[in-house]
Amino acid sequence: MQRHAMALCRGMLWTLIFLESIFLIMSVYGWDSFHRKGAERMHNLQDGRKQLLKEICEDDKEAISKRKHSLEDLSDSELENLIVDDKHGIIYCYIPKVACTNWKRVMYVLKHGEPYQDPSSIYDQYVHGLDTLRLLSSYPRIERKAKLKHYTKFLFVRDPFVRLISAFRDKFEDSKNDYYYNPLSQHIQCLYGSQPYPPRITFYNFIQYLVDPQSEQNLPFDPHWRQMHRLCHPCLIQYDFIGHVETLQEDAEQLLNTLKLQNDIKFPPSYVNLTTAESLSGWFRNVPLVERMKLYKLYETDFKLFGYRKPDELLDG
């Protein structure tokens, strides 16, 4: 009787082991299949983004040719947003207000090699300092061309209007930027402010400044609101990866996988962003329709090149 009970227990134990093995195999296969499908979906998404960019650049050849014909036409100052990492063969074009601080942290960590630091541990102001990272413009012209041909090139973009709001909040509403942006703020106040010297310019004043043709004639736009295509030249430089802030963590993970760095570096977690596409209507409530339409025209190329829909709800009278 005792031997029978023990045999029965052993039989049940082996059955449980067998079932757990089957479950484990199915789980691993299912998890692997899930990741493969996810990677395939992201790969197709990237192909779609690059194809859209290529088609629009082809369609806009005449307008582009009026600006720049080739890479050789770009001046040193027009290449100052391209960061180079020779150790890993990477070029990153950073765009202010498009997760650039965290990507600069990653580039800084890569530059200094193994053992890699946690990018989150790098002080944000440090990576924006001069000479912290090497720019493409610092290389001889013949080397630039070779690097652009052989290195992996990437950039991240953002809804153009959302980026503008983010720049306004950061540079004109945050008191820590008063020292640098006060002169510009006072200039905008004098030209467009309803009072002689209001304490802060309004978002509408900022838009008036942007759409005024004299603004660019007097001084090129600050990089924080300069058009994204003017910073990274996507019709002249063939980027291998185009990420979007709207899918930042997912795109960052895919890029690190592509660079075979997924086990070495983790992209810093994103904070909750107060500037979203859903908040656009509130920001533009006091901006007249004519200025909204002028603003869209100013950033229309960015909307088209990077696949952002035209905000008709803001532009229809």
Side-chain angles (χ1 to χ4, degrees):
M1 185 73 178
Q2 187 177 5
R3 285 198 300 271
H4 178 72
M6 290 178 64
L8 182 62
C9 287
R10 282 198 297 270
M12 292 177 65
L13 179 61
W14 282 111
T15 300
L16 287 173
I17 293 173
F18 173 75
L19 290 175
E20 286 181 358
S21 299
I22 294 297
F23 177 76
L24 180 62
I25 291 171
M26 292 179 67
S27 297
V28 171
Y29 176 78
W31 185 253
D32 186 55
S33 176
F34 171 78
H35 274 277
R36 283 203 308 272
K37 289 180 180 178
E40 183 179 348
R41 181 179 64 81
M42 291 297 292
H43 177 75
N44 292 337
L45 181 62
Q46 270 302 307
D47 284 348
R49 289 173 179 174
K50 288 187 284 187
Q51 183 60 32
L52 173 67
L53 182 62
K54 181 179 179 182
E55 289 173 0
I56 294 173
C57 287
E58 286 292 326
D59 292 341
D60 197 28
K61 260 185 177 179
E62 182 178 351
I64 292 170
S65 66
K66 293 176 183 177
R67 297 190 290 265
K68 299 291 177 179
H69 291 277
S70 67
L71 287 171
E72 284 72 20
D73 295 325
L74 296 176
S75 65
D76 288 357
S77 62
E78 290 173 305
L79 295 173
E80 287 181 348
N81 283 64
L82 282 86
I83 298 172
V84 180
D85 171 25
D86 288 312
K87 289 177 182 287
H88 302 86
I90 301 169
I91 295 178
Y92 161 52
C93 185
Y94 73 90
I95 298 174
K97 308 311 300 176
V98 187
C100 77
T101 297
N102 278 340
W103 277 116
K104 283 184 176 182
R105 285 170 167 159
V106 171
M107 295 298 288
Y108 176 85
V109 167
L110 289 175
K111 173 185 175 183
H112 288 79
E114 299 183 67
Y116 297 115
Q117 288 180 260
D118 175 6
S120 299
S121 68
I122 309 300
Y123 184 51
D124 59 348
Q125 293 302 319
Y126 183 72
V127 296
H128 294 302
L130 296 174
D131 301 325
T132 302
L133 299 164
R134 188 162 187 189
L135 305 178
L136 185 66
S137 57
S138 69
Y139 292 86
R141 284 191 170 269
I142 192 168
E143 286 190 40
R144 299 176 195 176
K145 191 171 183 179
K147 293 178 191 299
L148 285 169
K149 181 178 180 180
H150 297 291
Y151 283 11
T152 299
K153 301 166 291 297
F154 75 95
L155 78 159
F156 273 71
V157 295
R158 187 179 192 179
D159 179 289
F161 278 5
V162 175
R163 176 174 171 252
L164 277 183
I165 295 169
S166 180
F168 174 79
R169 289 180 58 247
D170 183 33
K171 304 307 177 188
F172 296 108
E173 289 193 338
D174 192 334
S175 60
K176 76 175 189 294
N177 289 310
D178 279 354
Y179 177 79
Y180 182 77
Y181 286 95
N182 251 351
L184 178 58
S185 181
Q186 290 176 7
H187 173 69
I188 294 175
Q189 288 168 5
C190 289
L191 291 176
Y192 316 107
S194 57
Q195 303 174 40
Y197 289 100
R200 295 281 176 188
I201 67 167
T202 66
F203 182 62
Y204 174 38
N205 295 152
F206 179 52
I207 299 306
Q208 289 177 292
Y209 166 75
L210 293 175
V211 300
D212 187 339
Q214 289 297 319
S215 297
E216 273 258 60
Q217 290 179 17
N218 295 333
L219 191 69
F221 277 170
D222 183 283
H224 290 85
W225 44 85
R226 192 176 305 164
Q227 293 90 332
M228 294 184 287
H229 72 275
R230 290 175 59 196
L231 295 172
C232 293
H233 319 288
C235 288
L236 298 178
I237 296 173
Q238 188 174 348
Y239 287 93
D240 302 286
F241 189 95
I242 303 168
H244 287 242
V245 160
E246 293 78 8
T247 50
L248 177 59
Q249 295 299 141
E250 194 175 7
D251 287 358
E253 182 179 342
Q254 188 202 2
L255 176 58
L256 291 175
N257 280 329
T258 301
L259 298 173
K260 303 188 187 310
L261 292 166
Q262 69 275 16
N263 296 324
D264 302 312
I265 294 178
K266 298 300 179 187
F267 186 76
S270 302
Y271 61 89
V272 177
N273 203 309
L274 299 177
T275 310
T276 64
E278 289 72 25
S279 66
L280 283 178
S281 58
W283 281 94
F284 280 89
R285 185 178 296 113
N286 296 322
V287 179
L289 181 60
V290 63
E291 266 84 6
R292 297 183 192 185
M293 296 178 70
K294 287 179 182 178
L295 188 70
Y296 176 74
K297 197 66 181 175
L298 196 61
Y299 291 90
E300 183 178 20
T301 301
D302 278 355
F303 275 97
K304 290 182 175 180
L305 284 176
F306 303 118
Y308 288 101
R309 70 173 188 85
K310 182 180 180 181
D312 290 318
E313 67 278 8
L314 297 177
L315 305 175
D316 290 338

